Amino acid sequence: MPEESFLSYDDNGGFTSEYCEIVDRVRNFALRNRTPTSCKKIYYFHGRRQFGEERLAEYFKSKGYEVIRPEKLTLDEQLNWLINCESFASTLGSCSHNSIFLRDGTETIFIPRLTEKITSHQKILNQVHPINANYVDSSLSICVVNGSNYCYILSEQLKHFFGDKWDGYDEEDFKTFLQYVKDSMGKDISVNLDIKKRYSPVLEDFMAQLKRREDLIAVYNMPPHWEQFRQLMSYRTHVHEKGWLAFQSEEQISGSTEDKFEIQAVKINFPGHKVYYSVYYNTAEGWSAEVSNGEMAGTTGKRKPIYGIKIWFDEAGDKEFDVLYRVHTFDGTWTPWAKNGETLYSHEQKLNAIQIKLKPVKPQPA
């Protein structure tokens, strides 16, 4: 099996002669059986979890590239396109790895998913056969964790690569970025601060221009302080007859204000600081033990509702944020907001929803 003879765990990985032999057999088969194609320049379109790739594809199409969606082609059809092409372009990832089947010396244009991030897998594949590899940064992916989305714009570097004049970011770049950030926040994906730092010069300029487009920001209904790209608090509840619900992020509701399914347990997580919380059972048992980031407060499998909650930060978090929380009860009402460890008690009314939000603490004047 090819993967058994290929090691890509870091930049020092490699491949065996058997791996190269398998690639050669496939490539030689394509050479012997190739038929003419309508275009010698191709763009391999990935499509999944990638914001803005459609614009990349359209831009390459304007430069004479045929846009190929490999999942719609047979293996033989894909090999024929690859073996005939003189220039191959793709975002860096599984699509770009098809470059091992190109002829020696073929021009390649790889668009990294992240600035300054070139996968070790592709570096090693480039050594199977010599290619003319070009890496062109056209990404603005800053909300990144495993399995998250990526964001592409028509960057200054990409346009300069093709000799085009760059007139700054256009409206579609801003729309793409706003869609990407809104989607990332909705999935509780927070900014990678190291990546943000690497993007710093480009991002500062981009954000300065975007902030002047208040109309677009309003259309996308961006949440408060979204431009700070701070990490988001997430929380989930265990509900009678439903079990654990999906994680929700700040200001979203966990549970239901319509259905009367009692909350029995809570988990809260905040990557930025340590958050503590406790739930209230009843007069006889009082408050649960204090737990922190991601641990369960409450019980499961005991049909034991909770009637209150309190949430607070560690000292560092307390200096940066106020944490506000409220609960919705079976009588159809929300309690007032409590904050920073204040006890929130529902007066013997079962809880069916909870909502949490953070408010940045204003710096004190010197």
Side-chain angles (χ1 to χ4, degrees):
M1 295 177 63
E3 283 296 326
E4 294 299 315
S5 53
F6 186 95
L7 302 174
S8 63
Y9 49 84
D10 57 30
D11 290 347
N12 296 317
F15 52 87
T16 65
S17 59
E18 288 81 5
Y19 181 85
C20 196
E21 180 184 353
I22 293 171
V23 173
D24 285 346
R25 288 193 179 193
V26 174
R27 199 171 68 150
N28 289 336
F29 170 84
L31 280 167
R32 290 195 305 271
N33 295 279
R34 66 174 170 169
T35 57
T37 54
S38 59
C39 187
K40 297 296 183 182
K41 299 192 291 186
I42 61 175
Y43 177 91
Y44 251 43
F45 188 91
H46 183 274
R48 296 184 300 278
R49 306 200 324 269
Q50 305 205 132
F51 283 81
E53 191 182 5
E54 293 83 359
R55 293 189 67 223
L56 282 183
E58 284 299 315
Y59 181 73
F60 275 93
K61 189 175 181 180
S62 73
K63 299 302 175 184
Y65 284 73
E66 183 80 17
V67 177
I68 303 294
R69 294 179 180 263
E71 74 278 4
K72 295 185 178 181
L73 302 178
T74 66
L75 176 59
D76 285 350
E77 290 170 333
Q78 288 189 58
L79 288 172
N80 195 55
W81 277 105
L82 291 165
I83 209 68
N84 277 296
C85 83
E86 296 174 356
S87 183
F88 171 87
S90 173
T91 58
L92 200 56
S94 55
C95 272
S96 69
H97 300 338
N98 288 282
S99 59
I100 58 173
F101 300 119
L102 300 172
R103 287 172 293 150
D104 289 2
T106 301
E107 177 188 59
T108 61
I109 305 168
F110 298 133
I111 311 295
R113 290 170 171 174
L114 308 171
T115 186
E116 302 177 13
K117 179 66 174 177
I118 300 173
T119 65
S120 59
H121 203 107
Q122 188 64 54
K123 292 179 184 178
I124 299 165
L125 286 173
N126 291 351
Q127 300 172 43
V128 176
H129 286 291
I131 57 173
N132 175 16
N134 301 275
Y135 295 90
V136 185
D137 187 13
S138 200
S139 166
L140 208 56
S141 307
I142 61 172
C143 303
V144 177
V145 294
N146 290 335
S148 64
N149 299 315
Y150 299 95
C151 178
Y152 300 97
I153 59 174
L154 296 188
S155 68
E156 181 177 7
Q157 294 91 330
L158 181 61
K159 291 196 173 183
H160 282 175
F161 181 84
F162 283 101
D164 289 345
K165 182 181 178 182
W166 189 73
D167 294 319
Y169 307 105
D170 61 28
E171 181 166 298
E172 292 304 313
D173 289 324
F174 297 137
K175 286 182 177 179
T176 297
F177 185 73
L178 287 170
Q179 288 174 339
Y180 161 72
V181 172
K182 191 68 177 288
D183 184 84
S184 296
M185 285 185 164
K187 291 182 172 62
D188 189 38
I189 295 173
S190 57
V191 65
N192 184 311
L193 298 180
D194 290 337
I195 294 172
K196 180 182 176 182
K197 185 177 180 181
R198 290 202 294 266
Y199 274 115
S200 183
V202 172
L203 186 61
E204 288 178 8
D205 179 53
F206 185 88
M207 292 300 298
Q209 295 185 47
L210 175 56
K211 286 179 181 178
R212 291 195 285 269
R213 291 300 310 269
E214 294 180 0
D215 56 329
L216 279 180
I217 294 172
V219 165
Y220 281 89
N221 191 28
M222 301 302 289
H225 312 296
W226 65 271
E227 72 278 4
Q228 296 177 10
F229 301 106
R230 65 169 177 81
Q231 295 173 305
L232 297 177
M233 176 176 284
S234 60
Y235 45 96
R236 66 191 307 194
T237 52
H238 188 278
V239 177
H240 178 55
E241 293 188 4
K242 292 187 176 183
W244 285 108
L245 304 183
F247 272 104
Q248 301 294 335
S249 57
E250 294 168 32
E251 302 197 33
Q252 295 178 329
I253 295 172
S254 180
S256 172
T257 58
E258 304 295 330
D259 301 326
K260 291 190 176 181
F261 292 104
E262 64 197 39
I263 294 176
Q264 300 169 337
V266 177
K267 291 182 180 180
I268 305 174
N269 192 45
F270 186 58
H273 296 288
K274 202 162 189 177
V275 58
Y276 298 93
Y277 46 101
S278 174
V279 297
Y280 187 79
Y281 295 125
N282 49 53
T283 304
E285 295 179 83
W287 291 90
S288 71
E290 298 172 0
V291 296
S292 61
N293 286 43
E295 297 175 328
M296 181 179 74
T299 61
T300 61
K302 297 183 179 180
R303 301 193 65 176
K304 187 175 178 180
I306 62 174
Y307 293 90
I309 191 170
K310 52 184 176 181
I311 309 169
W312 66 101
F313 276 123
D314 61 8
E315 185 177 354
D318 195 50
K319 292 178 180 178
E320 192 171 350
F321 299 104
D322 287 326
V323 54
L324 293 88
Y325 42 98
R326 64 176 182 168
V327 294
H328 191 273
T329 57
F330 273 27
D331 64 0
T333 63
W334 285 101
T335 64
W337 289 97
K339 73 174 184 178
N340 300 341
E342 293 176 347
T343 56
L344 181 59
Y345 177 57
S346 65
H347 301 287
E348 301 299 336
Q349 284 286 336
K350 291 181 180 180
L351 316 184
N352 57 352
I354 185 172
Q355 188 178 23
I356 307 174
K357 62 183 179 180
L358 299 188
K359 181 179 180 181
V361 174
K362 293 182 180 179
Q364 297 297 319

